[in-house]
Amino acid sequence: MAPRTRPVVSRRERPAKAALTREGIVAAAVTVMQAEGLDRVTMRRLAAELDTGPASLYVYLRNTAELHAAMLEELLGQVDLSPVTTAGDWQDRLIKVLWSYTLILLEQPGLAQSVLVTRPSGPAYLSLAEGILALLDAGGVAPDRAAWAVDLLLHFATSTAAEQGTRARAIDAQDEEDTLVTALREAPADTYPQIAALGVAELMSGWGPDRLTWGFGVLISGILQTPRPDQETAPDC
Amino acid sequence: MAPRTRPVVSRRERPAKAALTREGIVAAAVTVMQAEGLDRVTMRRLAAELDTGPASLYVYLRNTAELHAAMLEELLGQVDLSPVTTAGDWQDRLIKVLWSYTLILLEQPGLAQSVLVTRPSGPAYLSLAEGILALLDAGGVAPDRAAWAVDLLLHFATSTAAEQGTRARAIDAQDEEDTLVTALREAPADTYPQIAALGVAELMSGWGPDRLTWGFGVLISGILQTPRPDQETAPDC
DNA sequence: ACCTGAACACCGTTCAAGT
DNA sequence: ACCTGAACACCGTTCAAGT
């Protein structure tokens, strides 16, 4: 390695005081989240990271909820939409897309929880919705039903990620599960006959990927079976 | 109204410094929540309400998550389980129970969000699970499937309450919806043909009770249709 | 043994004042 | 016009010290 008169890399440690932009702030937020978790992504921590005061961030973001939504929109670019256009069973392809979305959120569990409440509306989110609609269309789901179904599927994926993801990372996750297992085991058979008959093993079984895949299957087959309540059987036109 | 020598009611303003108990703390927390919303139910606010310092609460509650779970358990006593034992179509009765549960959470939206992550395990929660299992049993759902189904149904109800309830109370709820509506309306038809074809009206339609009832219907019919993946078709025994 | 004052280490958001 | 220091009004949780 020949010495250089002027080292390129170590010139300075960080991009020292790059001009603030919305994109730059959101990118920094994602970096901090991936390194330290969402609960470290606070306006103050982020401002420190960007060498400024917290007030400056409010020029670009209305509040913390908007920051979270922008972070999700950034991450949503990673959803694998290729199954939308491949050949194969449309249900399998739909489940693949939903899994891809869910996996991204499972890695950032707090984000799923917060996004449950602030739905994004950027291009990445629209593309995801578009892809799901295309698959439902391929499966012959009527448009009025598909409009509701896309929400239902994404809502289910998001909320499952919020639940499972946060649970996985929680410090007292084991404690909490033990409490539930004990409660189930000790449930007296005369008050709770169904619970006693099933037993703890059955009730707590399969909290692996199988359960989510089953959930997606339930939704898809339910969607195919259940007409919207208000709709009269309209003539096709 | 004859005058009394010693007014009973106005003797003292509040139950001045009743001994702390776990039940008392949780009851106070529910009162504060109903009066001021969940975000005002903080350990410090609650301690002030009970005329003590925040540290004292940690004798009875491990942390804020445990407080929230205890509050839900208290509220869960209000779920109307009568449809479990009435006559009538089991699906309609199941939907009634789920609605009763959801309505309670819709009134306390922040609670739903927080409970999504800390599942309760008290008697009220067990009774709810027991009731749902009984209805699934009445509908002929196989036990192994019912074990997963009860979780799926409660999870869906909880997460919908978290989403809808918080949205309803959010200050910028209208703003946020406007952003989504605009994004949908302006979605270019060549990139997002499905979205463009459906139109905003269809996609945003029916965010009333119909949509949740439809969701429950989708789940129930999906549950009836979808076997658990791992299960071989077992002989009945 | 049971309880708690005081401290530690933080928060989000606003707004008057600076450049 | 654009940006931000400093302040306002709070947080959860711990632990050493008191009764």
Side-chain angles (χ1 to χ4, degrees):
Chain A
M1 297 184 212
R4 282 171 172 277
T5 21
R6 207 161 165 285
V8 175
V9 169
S10 61
R11 190 145 37 117
R12 40 190 170 68
E13 290 303 318
R14 53 166 85 184
K17 202 70 188 177
L20 284 182
T21 61
R22 196 180 174 1
E23 294 75 41
I25 293 169
V26 175
V30 171
T31 305
V32 172
M33 177 177 69
Q34 268 151 1
E36 306 175 38
L38 183 69
D39 36 322
R40 293 258 81 82
V41 185
T42 65
M43 291 303 211
R44 295 182 103 104
R45 171 78 182 71
L46 203 47
E49 190 73 20
L50 295 164
D51 275 316
T52 184
S56 307
L57 304 179
Y58 286 82
V59 177
Y60 305 94
L61 297 158
R62 229 200 311 247
N63 51 39
T64 309
E66 196 173 301
L67 173 64
H68 289 169
M71 289 164 74
L72 179 68
E73 172 65 24
E74 182 120 330
L75 254 21
L76 245 38
Q78 295 167 23
V79 175
D80 178 17
L81 290 176
S82 68
V84 173
T85 44
T86 6
D89 180 61
W90 69 275
Q91 300 200 18
D92 291 343
R93 292 187 285 142
L94 178 51
I95 289 179
K96 272 194 193 122
V97 171
L98 291 170
W99 258 108
S100 169
Y101 171 72
T102 309
L103 283 175
I104 287 165
L105 284 181
L106 277 173
E107 274 160 45
Q108 320 295 339
L111 197 56
Q113 213 192 334
S114 119
V115 163
L116 205 54
V117 151
T118 316
R119 214 176 314 183
S121 57
Y125 183 78
L126 290 185
S127 294
L128 175 58
E130 174 72 20
I132 293 172
L133 284 169
L135 285 166
L136 291 170
D137 185 53
V141 176
D144 67 311
R145 220 183 285 187
W148 284 15
V150 63
D151 251 28
L152 183 57
L153 291 165
L154 286 175
H155 167 83
F156 176 67
T158 308
S159 59
T160 301
E163 182 173 34
Q164 290 311 114
T166 316
R167 206 182 298 287
R169 259 159 197 74
I171 316 158
D172 0 63
Q174 198 54 52
D175 269 23
E176 201 190 296
E177 190 168 314
D178 290 353
T179 309
L180 183 55
V181 167
T182 307
L184 290 172
R185 199 194 313 285
E186 289 173 0
D190 50 344
T191 318
Y192 307 104
Q194 301 282 339
I195 289 173
L198 276 172
V200 182
E202 196 71 84
L203 283 164
M204 303 292 290
S205 74
W207 255 129
D210 278 356
R211 203 143 165 171
L212 182 58
T213 300
W214 180 76
F216 288 144
V218 165
L219 286 174
I220 293 171
S221 101
I223 287 163
L224 289 168
Q225 221 87 24
T226 316
R228 266 172 58 171
D230 47 344
Q231 301 304 92
E232 335 201 356
T233 323
D236 21 73
C237 46
Chain B
M1 295 181 211
R4 280 171 174 277
T5 20
R6 207 164 164 284
V8 175
V9 169
S10 60
R11 189 149 33 118
R12 39 187 172 69
E13 291 301 320
R14 53 165 86 184
K17 198 71 184 177
L20 283 182
T21 60
R22 199 189 144 100
E23 293 73 41
I25 294 169
V26 174
V30 170
T31 306
V32 172
M33 177 177 69
Q34 267 151 2
E36 306 175 38
L38 183 68
D39 36 322
R40 293 257 82 80
V41 185
T42 65
M43 291 302 212
R44 296 181 102 105
R45 172 77 180 72
L46 203 47
E49 191 73 18
L50 295 164
D51 274 317
T52 183
S56 309
L57 303 180
Y58 286 83
V59 178
Y60 306 94
L61 296 160
R62 229 201 313 249
N63 50 40
T64 309
E66 197 173 300
L67 173 64
H68 288 170
M71 290 165 73
L72 180 69
E73 173 63 25
E74 180 119 331
L75 254 21
L76 244 37
Q78 295 167 23
V79 174
D80 177 18
L81 290 175
S82 68
V84 173
T85 45
T86 8
D89 181 60
W90 70 274
Q91 300 200 16
D92 291 343
R93 292 186 286 143
L94 178 51
I95 289 179
K96 271 192 194 120
V97 172
L98 292 170
W99 258 109
S100 169
Y101 171 73
T102 310
L103 283 175
I104 286 165
L105 284 181
L106 277 173
E107 274 159 44
Q108 320 296 340
L111 197 55
Q113 213 192 334
S114 119
V115 164
L116 203 55
V117 151
T118 316
R119 215 178 310 186
S121 55
Y125 182 78
L126 290 186
S127 294
L128 176 58
E130 175 72 20
I132 293 172
L133 284 169
L135 285 167
L136 291 170
D137 185 53
V141 176
D144 67 310
R145 222 185 281 187
W148 285 15
V150 63
D151 250 27
L152 182 58
L153 291 165
L154 286 175
H155 168 83
F156 177 67
T158 309
S159 59
T160 302
E163 181 173 36
Q164 289 312 112
T166 317
R167 208 184 296 290
R169 259 157 198 75
I171 316 159
D172 1 64
Q174 198 55 53
D175 269 24
E176 202 191 293
E177 189 168 316
D178 289 353
T179 309
L180 182 55
V181 168
T182 308
L184 290 172
R185 200 195 312 285
E186 289 174 358
D190 48 346
T191 318
Y192 308 104
Q194 302 282 339
I195 289 173
L198 275 172
V200 182
E202 197 70 82
L203 284 165
M204 304 292 290
S205 73
W207 256 128
D210 278 356
R211 204 144 166 173
L212 181 58
T213 300
W214 180 76
F216 288 144
V218 165
L219 286 174
I220 293 171
S221 101
I223 287 163
L224 288 169
Q225 220 88 25
T226 317
R228 265 171 61 171
D230 47 344
Q231 302 306 90
E232 334 199 357
T233 323
D236 21 73
C237 44

